[in-house]
Every structure is written in C-alpha cells, then in structure tokens.
C-alpha cells in the first residue's frame, strides 16, 4: 500500500516566506502560507495518512451520538511513530524552518503531530487555546494545520481571534461546550477580530501560535475533511510543573522521562530544524 520512503517527495527544500508574513504572524498570532506543500506532493502522502487514520480510528458510535469533542473530529496523535512514510512528512525540514522563522527562534523540535479528520456531519470545534494542554511556559510554540484535500468555502479554514495570543494563558478550560461559550464571550469583550481564510487547497497551511484562540466550523458536506497538524516547540523552551490533568497527561505522553525545568529532548521530540544547519 505504502511507497518506499525514497520514492516519496522530498520535503526538505526551503519555502521562502516573506517579511510581511512573519510580521502578520507575530501581530495576529496566525498566518496563511499558500502551497507550503505542492499539490503533487500532497497527492502522494494523502492516501498514506488516510490509511492510518482509518486503521486507528477509535470511534465506535455514529457522529450524532457522540459528545461535542467526539463530534468535532477523528483525532490521532503521533502518527509519525506508526509509519516511516508519515515520519518523512512530519519531520520535514521545510515546514520546521517556516515554523522557526515565524516564531523568530534558532531551532525547533517536534512536540507531536495530530491527524484531525472531520467526518461528514461532524460538529464544530469549540473555541480554545492549544497551549493549555502543553506543559511549557513560553510563547514559542506553533501549530501547522494543513489540509490533505481541497477544503471548500463551505467548510473553510479555522477561525482565529487575531491578537489573542498576546493575552497568554487565558483559561484552563479544555475543548468543550463550556470553553466555546466562555471564550466566545471573552473574544467579544476584548473586541478581537475574528479571521477565517476560507477555501484552502491541499498543501496550503495555516500556522498559529499556541496561545491563539481558534475554532473551526462543522462539516455539512458529504466528504471527509482531512487535515494533518504538526506542533513545533522552540529548542530552548522550558518544561514547567503541570497545573492541570491535561498538562500532566501531555508531560507523560509527549515528553516521556522528562521533568520540569528541562528543555524538550525526549526520543519523541527530535530536532527538526536549526539555523546551524544552514552554515
């Protein structure tokens, strides 16, 4: 089913982002990077991701019978450990360098990956901050969100609250109906502009900061919204004592064997890009 690794497109070539894109990210906490991966590259990788998501799908109820979180997506993490082909995509230097440049750091490591496949009839993804799950005290974490198939205007990209990343840790609320209500009120109260990028081609990508409030609409279409995400952390970020069950779970699962006060260096957090490699 899967091609040999050396038959797959090379994703280590450089994608030149602009000064304006970097400025936009740092101001708003999110940015769109068109064709971070070319359509012919994604065409090769998409069936591999689809195979593994179907293989590992844990849902045993129809969409309409699940809770809000379960309706939002099929969520499979650390797929790069399951497949050498997926590892080539997740650890790609091209994407990691974009992440480092946007954040303004010298080097980035993998925190983890996640496939987020929203089924036909799938529900919305409530407003939340990703970084409430991550046991780091830093603003140097970023998520690449890349569709593996074209996404229509009807589904669209995620919606971001521009500038919300500057508020840092807003709430410990995990993704839920409560987080959606509470964060929607917070956004309105602060007057943050809500931005969505509309239709996306396969290989387009949004990058958003760990503290940026965001949500996503449901899927009213009859096609599966296939998205792959990769989360990057600055090489010198410091792990903090977890202050919630969510963060305790992530410390154990994503940073095995590591302790507060250390920088990420577990086997699950390989270095993906460093400026030193350019010398």
């Amino acid at each position: 089913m899967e091609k040999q690794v050396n038959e797959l497109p090379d994703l280590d070539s450089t994608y030149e982002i602009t000064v304006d894109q970097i400025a936009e990210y740092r101001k708003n906490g999110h940015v769109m990077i068109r064709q971070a991966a070319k359509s012919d590259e994604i065409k090769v990788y998409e069936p591999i991701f689809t195979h593994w998501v179907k293989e590992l799908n844990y849902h045993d109820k129809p969409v309409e019978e699940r809770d809000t979180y379960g309706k939002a997506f099929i969520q499979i993490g650390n797929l790069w450990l399951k497949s050498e082909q997926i590892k080539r995509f997740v650890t790609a230097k091209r994407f990691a360098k974009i992440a480092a440049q946007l954040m303004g750091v010298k080097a980035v490591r993998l925190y983890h990956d996640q496939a987020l496949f929203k089924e036909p009839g799938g529900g919305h993804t409530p407003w939340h901050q990703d970084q409430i799950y991550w046991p780091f005290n830093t603003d140097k974490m970023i998520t690449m969100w890349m569709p593996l198939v074209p996404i229509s205007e009807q589904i669209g990209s995620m919606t971001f609250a521009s500038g919300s990343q500057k508020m840092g840790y807003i709430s410990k609320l995990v993704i839920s109906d409560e987080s959606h209500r509470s964060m929607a009120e917070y956004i309105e109260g602060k007057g943050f502009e809500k931005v969505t990028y509309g239709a996306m081609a396969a290989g387009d990508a949004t990058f958003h900061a760990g503290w940026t409030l965001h949500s996503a609409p449901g899927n009213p279409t009859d096609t599966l919204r296939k998205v792959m995400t990769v989360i990057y952390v600055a090489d010198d970020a410091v792990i903090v004592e977890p202050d919630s069950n969510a963060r305790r779970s992530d410390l154990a699962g994503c940073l095995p064997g590591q302790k507060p006060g250390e920088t990420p260096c577990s086997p699950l957090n390989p270095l993906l890009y460093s400026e030193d490699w350019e010398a």
Side-chain angles (χ1 to χ4, degrees):
M1 191 283 298
E2 296 192 358
K3 292 180 177 288
Q4 295 298 310
V5 173
N6 61 8
E7 297 178 309
L8 296 171
D10 175 17
L11 299 173
D12 285 341
S13 59
T14 295
Y15 182 107
E16 297 294 342
I17 61 173
T18 68
V19 171
D20 287 345
Q21 286 172 321
I22 293 172
E24 181 180 347
Y25 171 79
R26 295 182 188 176
K27 176 184 177 184
N28 296 325
H30 58 88
V31 69
M32 168 68 78
I33 305 293
R34 297 289 182 186
Q35 293 298 277
K38 299 179 181 68
S39 57
D40 59 341
E41 294 171 333
I42 290 296
K43 188 175 181 179
V44 176
Y45 282 98
E46 179 272 318
I48 302 170
F49 282 106
T50 299
H51 165 80
W52 280 102
V53 169
K54 288 182 177 178
E55 189 78 12
L56 299 171
N57 182 11
Y58 51 89
H59 285 302
D60 58 2
K61 295 179 180 178
V63 172
E64 60 272 12
E65 295 180 16
R66 303 176 202 159
D67 62 13
T68 297
Y69 196 101
K71 290 176 181 176
F73 35 57
I74 303 169
Q75 180 181 32
I76 310 291
N78 276 334
L79 275 174
W80 73 284
L81 299 176
K82 302 292 185 182
S83 160
E84 287 296 315
Q85 289 77 12
I86 290 178
K87 179 180 178 181
R88 185 179 177 99
F89 181 98
V90 169
T91 63
K93 177 183 172 185
R94 182 194 304 169
F95 308 145
K97 183 176 180 180
I98 293 172
Q101 290 178 318
L102 290 173
M103 292 191 292
V105 300
K106 290 187 62 175
V108 295
R109 289 181 177 270
L110 175 66
Y111 183 50
H112 64 79
D113 68 45
Q114 286 187 338
L116 300 174
F117 281 32
K118 195 178 289 282
E119 297 155 283
H124 73 121
T125 306
W127 284 107
H128 66 283
Q129 292 178 297
D130 292 338
Q131 205 161 327
I132 65 163
Y133 293 93
W134 306 336
F136 291 95
N137 185 15
T138 180
D139 62 354
K140 304 303 182 187
M141 298 191 73
I142 192 171
T143 296
M144 179 183 77
W145 191 93
M146 180 181 288
L148 306 173
V149 294
I151 294 179
S152 68
E153 188 81 28
Q154 194 175 12
I155 303 175
S157 76
M158 291 187 291
T159 301
F160 303 96
S162 292
S164 59
Q165 82 285 359
K166 297 173 184 176
M167 307 307 293
Y169 203 151
I170 296 169
S171 168
K172 293 182 182 179
L173 288 174
V174 295
I175 299 173
S176 61
D177 292 332
E178 185 181 0
S179 78
H180 194 67
R181 287 191 299 269
S182 177
M183 294 299 98
E185 290 174 1
Y186 182 86
I187 290 164
E188 290 301 319
K190 293 292 184 181
F192 293 125
E193 180 186 7
K194 289 179 283 189
V195 174
T196 183
Y197 294 100
M200 295 176 68
D204 289 346
T206 59
F207 285 77
H208 68 272
W211 292 126
T212 302
L213 280 163
H214 59 286
S215 66
N219 181 4
T221 74
D222 58 2
T223 59
L224 190 61
R225 188 211 72 178
K226 303 177 184 181
V227 167
M228 188 61 192
T229 68
V230 183
I231 296 93
Y232 305 90
V233 57
D235 180 46
D236 59 358
V238 177
I239 300 167
V240 296
E241 186 69 42
D243 58 355
S244 66
N245 288 334
R247 285 185 159 190
R248 277 185 281 275
S249 177
D250 254 36
L251 178 59
C254 299
L255 300 156
Q258 295 217 248
K259 300 175 182 178
E262 297 178 342
T263 56
C265 61
S266 89
L268 298 189
N269 314 113
L271 187 68
L272 300 186
Y273 171 76
S274 172
E275 282 183 2
D276 294 340
W277 297 354
E278 307 286 337

